[in-house]
Amino acid sequence: GAVVSQHPSWVICKSGTSVKIECRSLDFQATTMFWYRQFPKQSLMLMATSNEGSKATYEQGVEKDKFLINHASLTLSTLTVTSAHPEDSSFYICSARDWGAGGRYNEQFFGPGTRLTVL
Amino acid sequence: DAKTTQPPSMDCAEGRAANLPCNHSTISGNEYVYWYRQIHSQGPQYIIHGLKNNETNEMASLIITEDRKSSTLILPHATLRDTAVYYCIVKYGNKLVFGAGTILRVKS
């Protein structure tokens, strides 16, 4: 399957600081990327959808000023958690949808996730 | 969005077929059924998807009932590495919205 990477794989930060998480599609172009959050023993919750070159669409209840999403190219999206607090500690997972080359049109692939711990 | 219902957990003996059911009674005609799985602390892994015909790939088979209100994912010869949470998702438009999934435990 297609490869989606995330960096960093884990991060620990102090309360009040901002953290940036990168998501890259390594072997395909992704016009659409998605960001999910997963708390322990819970399912994935969709936070936002980002399209290359345009503003992200946030799900209800997700603060767009707190979770800044940038999708500047067909292979890179970033999620910045601003002024992080302990309740933002979670597993953040990105997903990228294949543009269509290689017979994988519209398939969606997930990154390995980033574990954020806010102290 | 169509909702799915899955049993919270299932056990399967190693080497046997694992049959994971999913109900999606409110599915509409243009909505696909997707299956993903998530091994602990990893990102979800795509398994298979279908619209109305049964599908098979190197990982699994997907059986969709004629009325499309339910489906079954079949892992033909389960191994210990197949222990994971399996998510059945009805995709509407752009989004994959995850439900609670089924915890499959493959036991030796």
Side-chain angles (χ1 to χ4, degrees), chain B residues 21-25 27 33 63-72:
Chain B
C22 179
N23 285 324
H24 31 79
S25 59
I27 194 170
V33 179
I63 309 297
I64 303 174
T65 57
E66 195 168 335
D67 62 8
R68 302 207 329 119
K69 293 186 177 183
S70 65
S71 60
T72 301

Side-chain angles (χ1 to χ4, degrees), chain B residues 12-79:
Chain B
C12 176
E14 188 179 20
R16 303 297 295 269
N19 297 283
L20 292 93
C22 179
N23 285 324
H24 31 79
S25 59
T26 59
I27 194 170
S28 64
N30 58 351
E31 293 177 325
Y32 282 78
V33 179
Y34 280 74
W35 284 84
Y36 282 77
R37 72 181 183 184
Q38 186 179 27
I39 296 168
H40 183 63
S41 293
Q42 297 181 25
Q45 177 189 21
Y46 167 81
I47 301 173
I48 200 167
H49 74 282
L51 183 61
K52 49 186 172 182
N53 297 325
N54 296 338
E55 303 287 344
T56 296
N57 62 21
E58 64 277 5
M59 287 184 69
S61 295
L62 174 61
I63 309 297
I64 303 174
T65 57
E66 195 168 335
D67 62 8
R68 302 207 329 119
K69 293 186 177 183
S70 65
S71 60
T72 301
L73 177 74
I74 301 171
L75 307 179
H77 306 285
T79 70

Side-chain angles (χ1 to χ4, degrees), chain A residues 97-100 104-109, chain B residues 34 91 93-94:
Chain A
R97 194 169 68 191
D98 197 321
W99 168 247
R104 295 193 301 252
Y105 175 70
N106 215 26
E107 289 187 29
Q108 192 168 325
F109 302 94
Chain B
Y34 280 74
K91 185 175 184 182
N94 213 19

Side-chain angles (χ1 to χ4, degrees), chain A residues 49-88:
Chain A
T49 302
S50 75
N51 292 298
E52 185 261 339
S54 62
K55 290 184 179 180
T57 302
Y58 291 81
E59 295 298 304
Q60 193 171 11
V62 178
E63 300 174 59
K64 62 180 181 181
D65 295 330
K66 181 167 184 61
F67 299 100
L68 302 179
I69 293 172
N70 184 276
H71 190 167
S73 77
L74 286 172
T75 59
L76 173 64
S77 176
T78 59
L79 168 68
T80 302
V81 183
T82 62
S83 186
H85 288 94
E87 57 265 30
D88 299 322

Side-chain angles (χ1 to χ4, degrees), chain A:
Chain A
V3 180
V4 177
S5 70
Q6 283 185 239
H7 178 80
S9 56
W10 59 271
V11 57
I12 301 172
C13 70
K14 293 182 179 179
S15 186
T17 61
S18 294
V19 174
K20 181 185 282 189
I21 303 170
E22 290 186 351
C23 175
R24 293 181 186 273
S25 55
L26 298 186
D27 57 352
F28 67 98
Q29 293 183 324
T31 53
T32 305
M33 289 186 171
F34 306 85
W35 286 95
Y36 293 80
R37 180 167 55 179
Q38 185 175 33
F39 293 108
K41 296 187 189 274
Q42 295 186 22
S43 186
L44 284 78
M45 185 187 77
L46 179 64
M47 299 175 67
T49 302
S50 75
N51 292 298
E52 185 261 339
S54 62
K55 290 184 179 180
T57 302
Y58 291 81
E59 295 298 304
Q60 193 171 11
V62 178
E63 300 174 59
K64 62 180 181 181
D65 295 330
K66 181 167 184 61
F67 299 100
L68 302 179
I69 293 172
N70 184 276
H71 190 167
S73 77
L74 286 172
T75 59
L76 173 64
S77 176
T78 59
L79 168 68
T80 302
V81 183
T82 62
S83 186
H85 288 94
E87 57 265 30
D88 299 322
S89 298
S90 190
F91 192 48
Y92 291 87
I93 306 169
C94 76
S95 176
R97 194 169 68 191
D98 197 321
W99 168 247
R104 295 193 301 252
Y105 175 70
N106 215 26
E107 289 187 29
Q108 192 168 325
F109 302 94
F110 286 80
T114 297
R115 178 79 56 195
L116 170 64
T117 302
V118 184
L119 302 177

